[in-house]
Amino acid sequence: MSSQQPPEEPAYEDRVYRSPMAVVTGVLLLALIAWLCGDAIVRGSGSAPWFAAAIALLAVPLIVAFTIRPAVFANDDRLRVRNPFRVIELPWGAVDAVRAGYSAEVLAGGSKYQLWSVPVSLRERKKASRQQTKQELSRRGGATGKGSPGTSGPAASAEPQRAQADQVVNELRELAERGASRPGAQGGVRVRWSYEVLAPAALGAVFLIVLLVIG
């Protein structure tokens, strides 16, 4: 009589991690490029429209790559890291560690992959550390009866403060620990170059070089 395997738990919808500040910066830079280069293309004379087109063709993919494009997608089975020029898919079974030092990164198969969309702010980390120290002092004061009024209770028992990058890394670590043994989380790391970004940027660079040479 064969033993029946328990059904695998379904993988839920991806959690998406982005940097809102990077996205806002990217949108503003794209608007600036559209304004400057668009005006030069429409109203410029001589070689100015061609230079404007080449600069736009070079700049737009790079701006998108470094601001709007980076994102981290995580579900119960795998982590997908979309960096400026590469997309890395990492099944949780292949992930060795997720950490945040001066940058957020994941270690897998002897390689290190940076999480561009999870920027580490040392200033935010120090601020969270100071707030956590204040909460700890408030809890101790409340326990001894020497705390100032209003420092005990729900505010004193709140969760420890953490910087945003550290919160994201902690969530990813929990997903990695839970998903490492799942059948759907096995396999090797896959890396794909983002030619949809590299090709137009390279074309714009070549176009600009040609204009400079013949100009």
Side-chain angles (χ1 to χ4, degrees):
M1 187 175 180
S2 61
S3 59
Q4 187 175 1
Q5 293 283 345
E8 181 185 349
E9 295 180 6
Y12 295 99
E13 186 178 353
D14 286 356
R15 302 184 189 185
V16 183
Y17 301 95
R18 294 178 183 272
S19 171
M21 184 58 67
V23 173
V24 171
T25 301
V27 171
L28 293 177
L29 288 175
L30 289 175
L32 182 63
I33 289 291
W35 175 43
L36 295 177
C37 293
D39 184 70
I41 291 171
V42 173
R43 301 183 182 182
S45 59
S47 60
W50 295 106
F51 274 102
I55 291 171
L57 187 58
L58 172 62
V60 168
L62 295 180
I63 291 173
V64 171
F66 285 97
T67 59
I68 299 174
R69 177 181 172 80
V72 170
F73 305 88
N75 60 27
D76 291 344
D77 285 337
R78 66 191 62 246
L79 179 71
R80 182 162 64 94
V81 181
R82 194 170 68 192
N83 282 343
F85 302 124
R86 295 192 301 175
V87 176
I88 306 104
E89 291 191 9
L90 305 106
W92 289 125
V95 171
D96 299 320
V98 184
R99 65 189 186 188
Y102 292 105
S103 64
E105 53 198 23
V106 57
L107 306 180
S111 298
K112 179 173 66 176
Y113 306 98
Q114 187 174 353
L115 308 181
W116 277 77
S117 67
V118 187
V120 173
S121 170
L122 298 181
R123 182 179 178 182
E124 184 183 358
R125 184 177 283 170
K126 289 178 181 178
K127 182 179 178 181
S129 179
R130 287 196 300 268
Q131 184 128 14
Q132 187 174 351
T133 301
K134 289 180 181 179
Q135 288 181 353
E136 183 64 26
L137 291 175
S138 296
R139 283 196 292 268
R140 291 179 182 177
T144 58
K146 297 180 181 179
S148 58
T151 57
S152 59
S157 60
E159 288 293 325
Q161 295 292 320
R162 287 180 179 169
Q164 181 64 29
D166 294 327
Q167 293 179 18
V168 171
V169 167
N170 188 59
E171 290 179 15
L172 295 178
R173 279 199 196 112
E174 292 177 355
L175 284 172
E177 291 172 0
R178 291 203 307 263
S181 59
R182 288 173 59 91
Q186 308 309 310
V189 178
R190 291 190 297 174
V191 180
R192 178 179 67 83
W193 287 97
S194 302
Y195 295 106
E196 64 273 17
V197 173
L198 294 169
L203 183 60
V206 171
F207 190 11
L208 185 60
I209 291 171
V210 170
L211 289 173
L212 291 172
V213 169
I214 65 177

